[in-house]
Amino acid sequence: MKVSIVGCTHAGTFSAMNILKEHPDWEVSVFERNDNLSFLSCGIALWVSDRVSDPNKMFYASPDALSDLGAHMYMKHDVTDIDFDNKKLSVKNLTSGETFEQDYDKLVITTGSAPIIPPIPGIDSKRVMLCKNWTNANELKENASGIKSAIVIGAGYIGAELAEGYATLGKETTLIDALPDVLAKNLDPNMSAIAEKDYRDNGVTLGLSEKVQSFEETDHSVIVKTDKNTYEADIAVMCVGFRPNTKMFADKFETLPNGALIVDKYMHTSIPDVYSAGDAASVHYNPTGDNQYIPLATNSVRQGILVGKNIEKDTAAYMGTQASSAVELFGRTYAASGLTKTHADVLGKKVEEVSLEDNYRPEFMLSTTPVLMNLVWDPETRQVLGGALTSMYDVSQSANLLSLAIQKKVTIDELSMVDFLFQPNYDKPVNYVSALAGAAVEKADK
């Protein structure tokens, strides 16, 4: 069996590893435009702000490692065309310019995503940078020590973390977003307000509800004009999101409106013998029960594993995602899984929400720390649909608990009575997540 994998970051890497694990005698060819794979781009802001021990450890696999497993690695090779009817790839060697064709029996499209680059005047300036891949990471790291100021555009997780990183380095930092709140797509306003206060307390200028209209490069800076203000800094970094890298062939598939290839629970696309995973593909979003585009490394890894398990026959179904995530900003943890009330309102989905603040452990301890929590549930079924937490205490694993609750369709009543441990070093007799669920039950029963 001949399998071709197009694109090799997270989903492609795990697809290759698991196909070869399941079928070590198969001929697996991997085509990748870059000279590296498996780069954990979520660590860029941490590296830029001197919180990474060794950038080489930000790769968890290598071309040589996949070769050792039996893969035929074509690094710096671009797939320029795919003949799906005749199962044939057209490939260009980006180093030599040589072109050739290769047949396949099964095809895996894991071409990932590309940063969204809006058609804004001046955006091609060398002082306007990106935060996506290894090349971008090196550029940002190299100039971090030489700049005195930076403007970050986009206040999602990547932009929020990068702006925090520049601020901790003592750079004059501005964070701009067209939405009214920091992390507006991940948190509800009560938590965004805490993040915004922390930014301002650490000297960051916030330009929220502002749309960038132009960039103007000078000899020593870049001027960013929005619909409300003008800002100037040494560099600007675009972090406004990603799009699936499927433009070349998306019109041949069933896709989401943005071009993400729709896959079923076994990672099949709408074309026979063609699989997809990761940022090129859709995910099944459990809180709403539909296909959505959620480009997260965690989704990519799980889908890549499933490609390997299902490449010969359907054996392991995808359980879907809750889009669980977390970030630390100025020492404070923000962790979330599933729907926020704000997102539910945008989707027109009827939900209920409760908010609660409680110390994570007893007040008789020498110290304790408050945790602010939100919980979202379906008013008809009482099933948990989402939740978020923020605290100076590390509450990140509680988001994983909420993720499991959403995935297993746990009700607020059940969550309030889960057998959580009690030990004063760690929590109260009623764990703070139980307390949150109990508040939801109390509200739902009124």
Side-chain angles (χ1 to χ4, degrees):
M1 184 73 69
K2 296 176 65 175
V3 179
S4 291
I5 299 174
V6 183
C8 194
T9 303
H10 303 307
T13 298
F14 275 86
S15 293
M17 289 191 298
N18 284 276
I19 290 170
L20 289 166
K21 178 181 177 181
E22 300 284 338
H23 307 284
D25 57 331
W26 283 16
E27 181 180 331
V28 177
S29 298
V30 178
F31 300 90
E32 170 56 48
R33 291 175 177 174
N34 296 301
D35 61 0
N36 62 84
L37 52 85
S38 79
F39 174 61
L40 291 164
S41 58
C42 55
I44 292 178
L46 297 174
W47 186 32
V48 169
S49 55
D50 297 329
R51 287 176 277 190
V52 168
S53 61
D54 180 355
N56 294 312
K57 294 179 180 179
M58 295 166 71
F59 298 87
Y60 55 83
S62 67
D64 288 343
L66 292 188
S67 292
D68 290 343
L69 291 175
H72 302 283
M73 301 301 296
Y74 294 87
M75 303 304 293
K76 299 194 75 172
H77 281 69
D78 188 22
V79 173
T80 58
D81 191 35
I82 303 176
D83 183 344
F84 295 102
D85 294 329
N86 296 301
K87 295 187 173 182
K88 192 183 299 289
L89 302 179
S90 297
V91 185
K92 182 178 181 178
N93 184 323
L94 297 177
T95 301
S96 67
E98 173 193 5
T99 60
F100 60 93
E101 293 184 339
Q102 181 158 313
D103 298 330
Y104 65 84
D105 297 309
K106 304 270 190 177
L107 179 65
V108 181
I109 296 177
T110 45
T111 46
S113 59
I116 294 173
I117 305 175
I120 300 172
I123 200 169
D124 294 331
S125 166
K126 66 179 183 297
R127 290 184 179 272
V128 180
M129 310 178 76
L130 300 174
C131 185
K132 168 63 173 171
N133 57 30
W134 177 237
T135 299
N136 302 150
N138 278 280
E139 291 171 346
L140 292 171
K141 179 61 176 176
E142 286 170 6
N143 72 19
S145 60
I147 64 171
K148 295 181 179 180
S149 56
I151 298 169
V152 178
I153 300 159
Y157 273 138
I158 293 175
E161 194 171 22
L162 187 62
E164 186 260 5
Y166 282 131
T168 60
L169 290 175
K171 312 299 180 184
E172 183 181 329
T173 307
T174 301
L175 180 59
I176 298 173
D177 199 287
L179 294 175
D181 300 298
V182 169
L183 297 171
K185 293 184 177 180
N186 307 98
L187 304 173
D188 278 314
N190 64 334
M191 294 187 183
S192 294
I194 294 173
E196 289 157 20
K197 183 179 186 302
D198 283 346
Y199 277 112
R200 293 189 174 103
D201 287 348
N202 284 274
V204 177
T205 298
L206 296 179
L208 300 174
S209 296
E210 296 189 28
K211 296 181 180 179
V212 174
Q213 295 185 326
S214 69
F215 299 93
E216 180 184 341
E217 184 179 334
T218 72
D219 290 341
H220 306 290
S221 67
V222 60
I223 298 171
V224 179
K225 293 184 178 180
T226 74
D227 55 351
K228 296 179 180 177
N229 291 293
T230 298
Y231 305 93
E232 185 172 5
D234 294 330
I235 63 168
V237 187
M238 294 293 296
C239 304
V240 296
F242 304 108
R243 60 171 178 79
N245 192 18
T246 60
K247 187 176 181 181
M248 180 178 73
F249 45 72
D251 60 345
K252 295 178 171 60
F253 291 86
E254 182 181 355
T255 69
L256 296 180
N258 70 346
L261 308 186
I262 293 176
V263 294
D264 66 12
K265 61 184 178 180
Y266 297 107
M267 301 298 106
H268 299 281
T269 68
S270 55
I271 295 179
D273 293 326
V274 180
Y275 300 74
S276 188
D279 287 6
S282 67
V283 295
H284 181 80
Y285 187 52
N286 287 325
T288 56
D290 60 4
N291 289 314
Q292 293 195 22
Y293 185 64
I294 305 175
L296 289 172
T298 48
N299 293 333
S300 298
V301 168
R302 286 193 295 272
Q303 288 185 315
I305 291 171
L306 289 174
V307 168
K309 291 183 178 295
N310 298 316
I311 194 72
E312 184 177 25
K313 61 182 179 179
D314 297 343
T315 59
Y318 184 39
M319 294 190 294
T321 181
Q322 287 71 249
S324 305
S325 57
V327 67
E328 182 182 307
L329 303 172
F330 303 110
R332 187 186 303 275
T333 295
Y334 299 85
S337 184
L339 279 175
T340 64
K341 176 66 164 58
T342 303
H343 188 198
D345 289 344
V346 170
L347 297 175
K349 185 175 181 63
K350 186 179 179 181
V351 299
E352 289 292 337
E353 180 190 37
V354 72
S355 181
L356 178 70
E357 186 171 76
D358 191 15
N359 288 326
Y360 84 93
R361 65 181 184 177
E363 288 72 17
F364 65 70
M365 297 296 289
L366 293 177
S367 66
T368 187
T369 303
V371 181
L372 177 63
M373 303 166 281
N374 294 344
L375 192 67
V376 174
W377 69 95
D378 185 312
E380 299 296 326
T381 65
R382 298 168 77 101
Q383 290 175 1
V384 177
L385 297 178
L389 312 92
T390 185
S391 178
M392 296 301 288
Y393 173 66
D394 182 359
V395 290
S396 58
Q397 293 307 307
S398 295
N400 287 331
L401 168 63
L402 292 174
S403 177
L404 183 62
I406 299 166
Q407 185 169 297
K408 304 304 281 186
K409 302 185 184 302
V410 171
T411 66
I412 54 175
D413 310 86
E414 293 167 331
L415 185 60
S416 71
M417 296 299 290
V418 168
D419 179 23
F420 291 110
L421 66 87
F422 164 56
Q423 209 288 334
N425 284 300
Y426 306 110
D427 66 352
K428 290 183 170 184
V430 177
N431 178 275
Y432 54 86
V433 174
S434 285
L436 175 65
V441 172
E442 184 176 345
K443 181 176 180 178
D445 287 343
K446 285 184 177 179

